[in-house]
Amino acid sequence: MRSSEPLALPDGPLSMGRLLALEPAALRQLLTMGLRAGLAEPELDACCAAAAPLLGHSPEQLRAGLQERGWLRWDPGRQRWRTRLGSERPPAPPQA
Amino acid sequence: MTRILSVHSFRGGTGKSNLSANLAAAFAARGLRVGVFDTDLASPGIHVLCGFTAGPDSHTLNDHLQGSIPIEECSHDVTPSALGGGRGRIYLVPAAMDGDRIARLLREGYEVERLNDALFSLGQSQRLDLLIVDTHPGINEETLLSTAISDCLVMVMRPDQQDYLGTAVAIEVAQRLMVPEARLVVNKLPAHFDAEQVRARVAQSYGIPVGAILPLSDDLLTIASGSLALVDVPSHPWSAGVTQLAADLADALL
């Protein structure tokens, strides 16, 4: 499923209060797993595949939306995707 | 991997810190390496039960959350000498106890993200089997975080109507955050209550396993209000209940 509509998620930093209010449950599960040990690449793929259709988007769109909001980041030390609380949007890449 | 156990209550005065400290002692007596985080930053108290007195150079959780002190330097070995012979250890990360530091934390706040990183970092660096998070009562960003990252949530309540209602709210939150395991502990049960009736009532009301029904005990207030009941009076019914709860939790988590 793929929608051209923007992802129906709030903008701005992620807080625990915001995470608690998110739907569907599969999205809360993804972000909660990211808070705990973090997600390996196949785990993130599986979680996005479970949650994205319920939001009317593709897994790739969901993943990109979470990264754009700064809610999900790659932790090079742990080699896992981690949920990030209180983050601002990541800086835009330098313009060529 | 370190298992995280959050000890939480909806209201204050349930004996949450007492339970956290004594659970830590029970796990250490089983040969486990346990960390204890005092995240009740507004009203810290578990350090008293653990026999920890901060020296001028002692670091606390506040120094990590609002400063640059590594979390490892904020953890202190408080293993009671009675438990010191085996592998079991207790590492306490106390909260700051002086009024200025508490006021500063309340005024300025901190990035809750740092607390999350600190928990996982200490678990790894100290090779902890278990990490107990003694939370602030009620629901706020910190308690939601410690609930969300828990492998098990221990909800502590007294057998009164306000606790019954508030505990239901906290359990609903834990279910939305998909906490894998939960236990309910009824603490301070007056002697005239029927423990089995209370157990049946709370089990039916909340739909999560009852971990323990612990008695209200005037003598414990005298014997062990500033120390660990499990060490001072291990055969007391309250201590025996906590020991049994620790065995149940160890079986479920490790």
Side-chain angles (χ1 to χ4, degrees):
Chain A
M1 188 184 299
R2 184 176 290 269
S3 165
S4 55
E5 294 291 313
L7 205 58
L9 293 177
D11 273 323
L14 182 65
S15 65
M16 284 307 302
R18 182 169 270 178
L19 191 160
L20 184 68
L22 289 173
E23 295 291 351
L27 179 58
R28 287 199 306 280
Q29 184 165 33
L30 183 163
L31 292 166
T32 305
M33 286 172 71
L35 278 176
R36 290 175 183 161
L39 296 136
E41 195 69 42
E43 290 172 322
L44 178 58
D45 285 343
C47 286
C48 285
L54 302 169
L55 289 160
H57 287 271
S58 70
E60 294 76 19
Q61 286 174 315
L62 173 59
R63 183 174 171 148
L66 295 174
Q67 285 180 253
E68 276 166 24
R69 284 165 176 77
W71 295 4
L72 202 59
R73 68 171 172 192
W74 176 249
D75 182 338
R78 293 184 189 165
Q79 292 288 297
R80 297 178 85 83
W81 289 95
R82 308 262 342 260
T83 298
R84 184 156 189 225
L85 297 171
S87 59
E88 298 299 333
R89 281 175 193 275
Q95 299 296 311
Chain B
M1 187 176 166
T2 307
R3 299 291 176 179
I4 297 180
L5 181 77
S6 286
V7 181
H8 187 47
S9 64
F10 190 76
R11 295 172 67 227
T14 57
K16 180 173 47 63
S17 296
N18 224 313
L19 180 64
S20 300
N22 281 281
L23 270 176
F27 288 129
R30 296 173 67 88
L32 299 173
R33 294 172 63 83
V34 190
V36 181
F37 265 66
D38 189 353
T39 66
D40 192 354
L41 297 159
S43 46
I46 198 167
H47 59 281
V48 176
L49 299 160
C50 294
F52 174 75
T53 307
D57 298 323
S58 303
H59 294 302
T60 64
L61 182 56
N62 302 53
D63 295 312
H64 178 73
L65 296 178
Q66 291 195 300
S68 56
I69 304 295
I71 192 63
E72 288 74 17
E73 292 180 31
C74 305
S75 95
H76 308 273
D77 188 340
V78 294
T79 313
S81 53
L83 305 175
R87 175 184 180 268
R89 311 299 307 170
I90 303 175
Y91 296 96
L92 173 68
V93 180
M97 303 113 199
D98 59 291
D100 288 348
R101 296 300 308 279
I102 295 172
R104 183 188 155 204
L105 188 116
L106 296 177
R107 189 173 62 246
E108 298 175 6
Y110 66 93
E111 286 284 331
V112 72
E113 176 91 2
R114 282 182 73 80
L115 176 61
N116 193 24
D117 288 343
L119 288 161
F120 285 96
S121 177
L122 190 73
Q124 195 167 29
S125 61
Q126 298 282 34
R127 295 171 289 110
L128 300 176
D129 299 300
L130 266 169
L131 220 158
I132 296 174
V133 184
D134 182 27
T135 66
H136 185 65
I139 294 174
N140 61 21
E141 281 288 302
E142 291 87 349
T143 58
L144 287 174
L145 172 65
S146 57
T147 301
I149 62 172
S150 295
D151 295 288
C152 181
L153 176 71
V154 174
M155 277 300 303
V156 190
M157 61 179 288
R158 287 162 302 192
D160 70 43
Q161 197 57 34
Q162 289 181 63
D163 272 17
Y164 274 114
L165 295 172
T167 299
V169 173
I171 288 173
E172 189 186 333
V173 165
Q175 285 166 342
R176 278 188 70 81
L177 293 172
M178 293 155 218
V179 179
E181 292 270 350
R183 296 287 186 279
L184 196 61
V185 170
V186 179
N187 195 18
K188 302 185 178 181
L189 187 77
H192 64 275
F193 278 50
D194 182 325
E196 287 314 306
Q197 264 186 12
V198 171
R199 179 184 289 273
R201 180 179 170 192
V202 294
Q204 188 182 22
S205 302
Y206 300 114
I208 64 171
V210 178
I213 307 280
L214 302 172
L216 177 66
S217 169
D218 288 340
D219 48 331
L220 265 192
L221 290 175
T222 316
I223 302 165
S225 67
S227 57
L228 295 170
L230 245 77
V231 173
D232 293 348
V233 281
S235 58
H236 190 283
W238 192 91
S239 307
V242 175
T243 303
Q244 182 64 43
L245 174 63
D248 164 37
L249 292 170
D251 286 346
L253 294 174
L254 300 171

